[in-house]
């Protein structure tokens, strides 16, 4: 029997699904460390937990360590400590090191969390990635821009996805950004050359330093392009066949990147670009499961439960690679304009050959505030054995379904 602690600041739907999967594992006693009081836990989840410890700040390694020690006194020594939130990976690694719990160490966790450190490690290992600089002053940002040229991307050094990420196309954009949010020693900014080409993700499982399973997706278009163009809808496609030459480059480079960053055992999510000349470059890597419904899409294309498989990987250290029998795609329903969702149009105009492919959806609810995110206000996920069929259906969904805001 393994006693494990799962740190989850708030029990959002996806997080709850990961926690519930871990709690259902045989020979595992799972305790939840959270800011949620016990009476707010879903009853079906609360009944499966061996313990619960509430802390005020679930990102504070000191409070996490105290919770782990308290649970160890109640349940026996906590032997594994896990979380899906990217912002928790460094604090958890610090607690593991402090308490002697196996798992990712702080150096490795920081390699994945600190984007400047990440690219420094990758470039030193010969992994292609964008030129970059951690700017702590306007002068540093101007120097980098003068050396590299435009366009550029600026982002938080510990960001996730495309949040708080901006593209600067010309000196005027740089000047406006420096006036609005100038980098300072206490508030540095990651500034990088802008990578062009096709973007996607590379998700993989590493066991004892070896990639034992991987998946590739295509972003249509890129998240940053969607953020810059409010009329665009984001689409993620997971093709059935990833063994072709179009994915050979990233499948060769990605394991080198993960080795350089120090991942020993775990699931990682990598953003990557295929440049116009066919070469690839790594954008960012997270040592955690993918977001934006991609974890669920991976369940659909492989006919297995990745939520449970991830929990078993992190607690027991093993993974049974599943076959890839399907293609899948998700359209993220993004409202046009501003305000609250008023209505979703076009659903009744979809033909049966599209609606029959739907395996998952969360439609925008009238009255809900618009997210303002490239992930939109809802989604529709489809799958079919033929990638071409999925691609055609995704195009029809994008051109037919419209979310009205107001």
């Amino acid at each position: 029997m393994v006693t494990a602690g799962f740190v989850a600041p708030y029990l959002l739907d996806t997080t709850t699904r990961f926690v519930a999967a871990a709690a259902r594992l045989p020979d595992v006693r799972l305790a939840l460390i959270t800011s949620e009081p016990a009476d707010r836990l879903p009853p079906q989840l609360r009944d499966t937990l061996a313990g619960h410890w509430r802390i005020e700040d679930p990102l504070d390694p000191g409070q996490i360590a105290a919770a782990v020690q308290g649970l160890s006194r109640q349940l026996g020594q906590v032997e594994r400590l896990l979380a899906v939130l990217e912002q928790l990976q460094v604090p958890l690694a610090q607690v593991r090191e402090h308490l002697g719990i196996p798992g990712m160490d702080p150096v490795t966790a920081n390699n994945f969390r600190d984007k400047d450190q990440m690219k420094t490690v990758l470039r030193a290992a010969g992994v292609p990635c964008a030129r970059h600089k951690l700017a702590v002053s306007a002068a540093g940002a101007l120097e980098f821009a003068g050396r590299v040229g435009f366009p550029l991307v600026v982002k938080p050094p510990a960001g996730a996805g495309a949040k708080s990420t901006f593209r600067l196309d010309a000196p005027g954009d740089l000047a406006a950004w420096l006036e609005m949010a100038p980098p300072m020693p206490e508030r540095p900014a990651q500034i990088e050359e802008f990578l062009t080409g096709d973007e996607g993700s590379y998700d993989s499982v590493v066991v004892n330093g070896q990639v034992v399973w991987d998946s590739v997706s295509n972003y249509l278009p890129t998240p940053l392009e969607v953020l810059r163009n409010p009329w665009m809808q984001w689409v993620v496609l997971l093709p059935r066949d990833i063994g072709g030459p179009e994915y050979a480059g990233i499948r060769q480079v990605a394991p080198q990147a993960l080795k350089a960053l120090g991942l020993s055992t775990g699931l990682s999510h990598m953003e990557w670009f295929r440049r116009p000349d066919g070469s690839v470059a790594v954008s960012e890597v997270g040592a955690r499961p993918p977001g934006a419904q991609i974890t669920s899409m991976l369940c659909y294309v492989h006919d297995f439960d990745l939520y449970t498989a991830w929990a078993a990987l992190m607690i027991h250290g093993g993974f049974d690679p599943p076959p890839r029998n399907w293609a899948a795609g998700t359209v993220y329903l993004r409202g046009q304009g501003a305000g609250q969702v008023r209505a979703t149009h076009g659903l009744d105009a979809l033909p049966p050959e599209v609606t029959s492919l739907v395996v998952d959806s969360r439609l925008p609810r009238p009255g809900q505030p618009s997210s303002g995110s490239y992930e939109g206000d809802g989604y529709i996920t489809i799958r079919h054995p033929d990638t071409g069929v999925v691609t055609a259906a995704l195009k029809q969904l994008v051109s037919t379904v419209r979310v009205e805001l107001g």
Side-chain angles (χ1 to χ4, degrees), residues 79-370:
E79 302 160 275
R80 297 289 186 273
L81 192 59
L82 56 156
V84 293
L85 188 67
E86 179 157 333
Q87 295 91 324
L88 273 168
Q89 302 310 314
V90 171
L92 255 63
Q94 294 169 339
V95 174
R96 290 191 196 102
E97 183 177 64
H98 176 64
L99 299 179
I101 298 174
M104 186 183 299
D105 61 83
V107 172
T108 301
N110 194 60
N111 283 346
F112 282 94
R113 181 66 177 146
D114 185 316
K115 307 311 178 189
D116 185 68
Q117 173 69 11
M118 174 190 297
K119 288 186 170 60
T120 298
V121 170
L122 293 178
R123 291 181 71 83
V127 175
C129 60
R131 288 176 289 175
H132 64 102
K133 180 183 181 72
L134 186 66
V136 296
S137 66
L142 290 167
E143 182 279 329
F144 182 82
R147 174 161 47 90
V148 174
F150 294 90
L152 297 169
V153 175
V154 293
K155 62 182 74 172
K163 295 178 176 64
S164 301
T165 299
F166 305 96
R167 174 175 165 173
L168 310 178
D169 288 313
D173 295 335
L174 177 59
W177 172 69
L178 289 175
E179 183 176 353
M180 176 183 66
M184 304 174 183
E186 65 273 18
R187 192 185 62 203
Q190 178 78 357
I191 183 166
E192 303 175 0
E193 65 174 323
F194 179 72
L195 295 174
T196 60
D198 301 323
E199 186 179 0
S201 65
Y202 174 88
D203 299 287
S204 64
V205 168
V206 173
V207 176
N208 296 327
Q210 298 297 317
V211 174
V212 298
W213 169 86
D214 63 358
S215 172
V216 183
S217 77
N218 299 325
Y219 293 167
L220 309 167
T222 69
L224 193 54
E225 189 176 357
V226 174
L227 284 176
R228 286 167 53 86
N229 297 279
W231 55 271
M232 286 185 173
Q233 307 292 309
W234 191 42
V235 174
V236 176
L237 170 67
L238 271 64
R240 180 177 180 178
D241 181 11
I242 62 171
E246 67 269 37
Y247 303 121
I250 188 59
R251 297 184 78 192
Q252 178 180 0
V253 166
Q256 301 172 15
L258 296 173
K259 181 178 180 180
L261 294 171
L263 185 62
S264 175
T265 295
L267 173 63
S268 69
H269 176 69
M270 179 183 297
E271 313 283 346
W272 66 283
F273 281 86
R274 185 191 300 108
R275 296 185 175 108
D277 65 2
S279 64
V280 301
V282 173
S283 176
E284 295 183 358
V285 196
R288 40 82 182 170
Q293 306 306 312
I294 295 177
T295 297
S296 292
M297 293 170 68
L298 289 167
C299 295
Y300 290 122
V301 299
H302 293 282
D303 274 328
F304 87 134
D305 184 355
L306 182 54
Y307 296 89
T308 299
W310 172 82
L313 171 72
M314 302 307 294
I315 294 175
H316 296 305
F319 187 86
D320 185 15
R324 192 178 182 101
N325 297 321
W326 304 82
T330 295
V331 171
Y332 298 84
L333 304 174
R334 189 179 188 212
Q336 306 300 298
Q340 296 180 333
V341 172
R342 296 187 64 181
T344 301
H345 304 284
L347 293 170
D348 55 352
L350 292 170
E353 56 265 30
V354 172
T355 57
S356 64
L357 305 182
V358 175
V359 292
D360 192 11
S361 66
R362 181 174 60 78
L363 300 178
R365 301 184 310 275
Q368 80 178 58
S370 177

